[in-house]
């Protein structure tokens, strides 16, 4: 039995879909806040149980019988995510899981100014002290490129704070690789990094966008405080905006610059390129 948390979310749900292509449905379980939202999995034979990181007792029940458990990390900066992740790890230990896999983040090492790094570092330490075999999947940035680049299709400008090279990675590629690890015979102990093979900057994206559209797309560097003010004016809570600003600071300092070949090795093919993804998002 492999149990996946957060299976009604993007990464967790995609991982379950890839698992269903590899192993029988009755070997898959999901632990979700709202079981009604996972009915499509139940209809296909997946075991669906209610569980959330805030409810350790429900988690233990949802984890029962699991040989492996995939913990999808939380990302709410206003919540004690380390405490919630501790609940999940302890529930997995109580359920006698043989291995815990956790979705960490590329560059989750001391000194990284991106604030979630501290959450992942602390959670990996909890895993290391758990007494259970564990794997931390340090995933490359996999958010939608439209969110990353802003309204460039309308404005012709990628206007964001100063950045640095990042191997922007396709979420479905990460989900497929995660399913391959869960369903396969090869075990990974400790942290492993899953990224696209090439690190890009916003200057690179401006060139790619220009080539794809046949019109000049300009890269404009926005002052960090100005960017935060613009985000707040657009309705983003200031705490969240400043939280996101630390990501640009980390990228600029090179914390995400190193690409890793493991993702391609697991997939047995080249991961989707940023050009492919951008073309798909703009409908080319």
């Amino acid at each position: 039995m492999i149990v996946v948390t957060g299976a009604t979310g993007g990464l967790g749900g995609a991982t379950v879909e890839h698992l269903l292509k590899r192993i029988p449905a009755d070997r898959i379980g999901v632990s979700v806040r709202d079981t009604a939202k996972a009915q499509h999995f139940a209809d296909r034979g997946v075991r669906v149980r209610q569980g959330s990181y805030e409810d350790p007792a429900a988690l233990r029940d949802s984890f029962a019988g699991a040989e492996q458990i995939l913990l999808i990390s939380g990302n709410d900066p206003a919540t004690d995510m380390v405490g919630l992740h501790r609940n999940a790890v302890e529930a997995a230990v109580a359920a006698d899981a043989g291995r815990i896999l956790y979705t960490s983040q590329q560059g989750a090492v001391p000194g990284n100014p991106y604030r979630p790094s501290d959450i992942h570092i602390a959670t990996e330490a909890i895993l290391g002290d758990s007494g259970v075999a564990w794997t931390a999947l340090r995933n490359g940035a996999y958010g939608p490129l439209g969110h990353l680049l802003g309204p460039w299709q309308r404005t012709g400008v990628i206007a964001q704070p100063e950045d640095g090279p990042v191997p922007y990675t396709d979420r479905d590629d990460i989900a497929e690789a995660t399913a391959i690890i869960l369903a396969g015979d090869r075990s990974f102990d400790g942290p492993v990094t899953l990224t696209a093979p090439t690190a890009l900057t916003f200057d690179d994206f401006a060139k790619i966008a220009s080539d794809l559209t046949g019109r000049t797309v300009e890269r404009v560097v926005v002052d960090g405080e100005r960017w935060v003010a613009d985000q707040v004016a657009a309705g983003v809570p200031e705490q969240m905006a400043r939280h996101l600003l630390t990501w640009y600071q980390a990228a600029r300092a090179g914390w995400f610059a190193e690409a890793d070949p493991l993702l391609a090795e697991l997939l047995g093919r080249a991961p989707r390129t940023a050009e492919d993804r951008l073309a798909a998002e703009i409908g080319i």
Side-chain angles (χ1 to χ4, degrees):
M1 175 70 69
I2 295 169
V3 172
V4 177
T5 68
T8 55
L11 181 60
T15 299
V16 174
E17 292 290 351
H18 283 290
L19 281 172
L20 284 165
K21 299 173 184 176
R22 288 169 171 79
I23 60 175
D26 62 7
R27 285 186 53 204
I28 305 170
V30 298
S31 174
V32 295
R33 289 179 180 275
D34 185 348
T35 57
K37 293 182 179 179
Q39 186 61 44
H40 60 295
F41 288 137
D43 291 342
R44 294 155 73 186
V46 173
R47 189 185 80 180
V48 175
R49 291 185 179 176
Q50 195 279 328
S52 72
Y53 293 174
E54 293 87 351
D55 188 344
L59 272 185
R60 287 193 295 273
D61 177 68
S62 68
F63 291 168
E67 173 60 25
Q68 297 184 88
I69 297 171
L70 175 63
L71 302 180
I72 302 291
S73 56
N75 58 5
D76 184 350
T79 302
D80 176 17
M81 289 314 313
V82 174
L84 294 178
H85 291 164
R86 183 184 298 277
N87 288 347
V89 172
E90 290 177 349
V93 172
D96 293 324
R99 177 174 294 274
I100 303 169
L101 292 89
Y102 167 75
T103 59
S104 187
Q105 162 217 301
Q106 182 188 14
V109 293
N112 188 331
Y114 183 44
R115 291 174 184 169
S117 299
D118 294 335
I119 295 171
H120 296 303
I121 292 167
T123 303
E124 289 184 13
I126 292 168
L127 287 164
D129 292 338
S130 69
V132 175
W134 62 280
T135 307
L137 305 171
R138 291 184 176 174
N139 296 323
Y142 58 81
L145 296 181
H147 292 172
L148 174 74
L149 303 177
W152 67 270
Q153 293 185 68
R154 175 173 55 82
T155 64
V157 174
I158 297 175
Q160 301 289 7
E162 184 181 354
D163 69 323
V166 177
Y168 295 100
T169 309
D170 181 60
R171 184 181 70 187
D172 195 63
D173 281 349
I174 290 176
E176 182 177 351
T178 301
I180 289 169
I181 292 172
L182 286 164
D185 297 327
R186 181 181 177 186
S187 295
F188 295 88
D189 293 315
V192 296
T193 301
L194 300 177
T195 72
T198 304
L200 302 174
T201 65
F202 287 152
D203 285 331
D204 296 320
F205 274 110
K207 183 179 186 306
I208 291 170
S210 297
D211 291 343
L212 287 172
T213 61
R215 64 189 179 98
T216 299
V217 176
E218 186 182 1
R219 162 67 169 129
V220 172
V221 176
V222 180
D223 173 77
E225 289 302 315
R226 169 66 185 276
W227 182 84
V228 168
D230 289 344
Q231 294 294 302
V232 172
V236 177
E238 182 174 354
Q239 180 185 16
M240 177 61 75
R242 294 197 175 279
H243 175 88
L244 293 172
L245 184 63
T246 65
W247 184 86
Y248 293 99
Q249 294 166 345
R252 184 165 63 246
W255 289 95
F256 308 129
E258 186 174 350
D260 194 285
L262 179 60
L263 178 61
E265 178 187 335
L266 289 168
L267 296 176
R269 58 171 173 81
R272 287 184 73 198
T273 66
E275 183 174 5
D276 290 340
R277 295 175 60 203
L278 194 60
E281 290 196 12
I282 62 180
I284 294 178

